[in-house]
């Protein structure tokens, strides 16, 4: 009986999610711009970031899976360059780039969910952009 | 100095994090900056990501646990 193939390692998922022409699964920036998709220059995203507490961002970061959290910490908090992060983590530079990219999307999604729970989101979470959810 | 090429929004978004993380060479960086001058959408997106990155950086300067800093120093020392 043939065995099921093993699950893909996280780095392969991360790499595949950033290659090709597919749109990223979530963008906090675009979510904040949802009501004004054709009107760029809104201050909605700046106001939103201003409302986020230090603790909100720290919690979102700490809740990231380690495979994404370490590159984010090394890059954004510690200021290391991609080749340095690659050497520290023992992975190719392209993998660092992929993990940073996906990690940032996950971080933004977590921030959005936290802000939604606290009633900080500037617009209601419209069912139209969540096709897997049933409309109320 | 190399000639710079015009890039479109798709390419600019692809380069965005490399740009904000200062990973682009000089020519690609100038191409990015030229694009941000003419695309308001990309400029807004870049500003947003930059501010979020700054919020994260502030976290590192103020609240990174000492144990984490020690771990990082050790990792770097082991290069």
């Amino acid at each position: 009986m043939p065995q099921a193939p093993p699950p893909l390692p996280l780095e392969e998922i991360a790499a595949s999610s950033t290659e090709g022409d597919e749109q990223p699964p979530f963008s906090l920036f675009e979510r904040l711009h949802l009501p004004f998709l054709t009107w760029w220059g809104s201050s909605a995203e700046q106001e939103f970031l201003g409302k986020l507490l230090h603790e909100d961002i720290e919690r979102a970061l700490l809740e990231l899976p380690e495979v994404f959290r370490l590159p984010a910490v090394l890059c954004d908090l510690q200021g290391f360059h991609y080749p340095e992060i690659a050497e520290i983590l023992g992975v190719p530079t392209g993998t660092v780039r992929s993990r940073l990219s996906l990690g940032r999307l996950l971080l933004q999604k977590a921030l959005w969910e936290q802000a939604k729970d606290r009633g900080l989101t500037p617009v209601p979470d419209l069912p139209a952009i969540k096709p897997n959810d049933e409309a109320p | 100095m190399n000639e710079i090429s015009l890039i479109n929004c798709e390419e600019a978004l692809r380069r965005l994090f490399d740009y904000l993380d200062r990973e682009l060479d000089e020519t690609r960086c100038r191409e990015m900056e030229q694009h941000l001058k003419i695309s308001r959408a990309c400029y807004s997106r870049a500003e947003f990501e930059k501010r979020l990155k700054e919020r994260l950086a502030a976290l590192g300067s103020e609240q990174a646990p000492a144990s984490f800093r020690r771990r990082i120093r050790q990792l770097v020392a082991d290069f």
Side-chain angles (χ1 to χ4, degrees):
Chain A
M1 186 174 172
Q3 289 186 328
L8 283 175
L10 275 177
E11 55 264 35
E12 286 188 29
I13 297 172
S16 65
S17 73
T18 56
E19 289 174 359
D21 296 323
E22 289 181 16
Q23 292 297 310
F26 182 89
S27 160
L28 181 53
F29 178 81
E30 286 164 12
R31 186 66 66 102
L32 288 165
H33 269 290
L34 190 64
F36 337 99
L37 280 179
T38 57
W39 180 45
W40 297 98
S42 156
S43 62
E45 72 275 8
Q46 312 301 0
E47 290 176 14
F48 180 80
L49 285 184
K51 287 178 187 170
L52 289 177
L53 300 175
H54 213 65
E55 291 75 21
D56 294 325
I57 298 176
E58 185 179 52
R59 190 181 315 120
L61 182 66
L62 290 175
E63 287 176 358
L64 278 183
E66 189 175 89
V67 72
F68 300 119
R69 187 172 69 244
L70 277 177
V73 167
L74 290 169
C75 178
D76 291 328
L77 278 69
Q78 301 290 315
F80 286 105
H81 287 287
Y82 293 177
E84 296 172 311
I85 299 170
E87 195 159 354
I88 291 170
L89 299 180
V91 298
T93 304
T95 302
V96 171
R97 185 177 279 106
S98 299
R99 291 182 185 179
L100 278 172
S101 179
L102 187 53
R104 282 163 168 159
L105 290 177
L106 293 172
L107 181 88
Q108 293 188 16
K109 190 167 186 178
L111 286 173
W112 175 263
E113 295 298 332
Q114 285 181 23
K116 205 167 61 173
D117 291 345
R118 291 176 46 207
L120 294 179
T121 51
V123 292
D125 201 17
L126 301 179
I129 57 168
K130 297 175 72 180
N132 294 330
D133 290 356
E134 290 184 11
Chain B
M1 189 175 287
N2 294 329
E3 285 294 315
I4 66 169
S5 307
L6 286 179
I7 60 173
N8 59 24
C9 292
E10 187 182 0
E11 177 61 22
L13 283 181
R14 202 166 14 236
R15 291 186 194 179
L16 178 58
F17 287 124
D18 278 35
Y19 172 70
L20 294 176
D21 294 336
R22 301 179 185 279
E23 297 290 338
L24 293 181
D25 61 35
E26 185 185 345
T27 301
R28 285 171 177 262
C29 188
R30 286 176 59 220
E31 289 171 349
M32 188 71 188
E33 288 168 348
Q34 180 63 29
H35 180 81
L36 293 179
K37 287 178 185 171
I38 60 176
S39 170
R40 189 173 180 183
C42 290
Y43 178 82
S44 296
R45 174 69 181 268
E47 274 294 300
F48 174 78
E49 299 291 351
K50 182 181 166 196
R51 283 173 191 259
L52 185 55
K53 186 174 164 65
E54 287 169 352
R55 293 293 304 267
L56 279 165
L59 205 64
S61 62
E62 295 170 27
Q63 292 196 349
S67 59
F68 178 78
R69 289 182 176 280
R70 278 197 299 274
R71 185 177 169 194
I72 295 299
R73 273 200 299 273
Q74 187 60 49
L75 284 168
V76 175
D78 289 343
F79 264 16

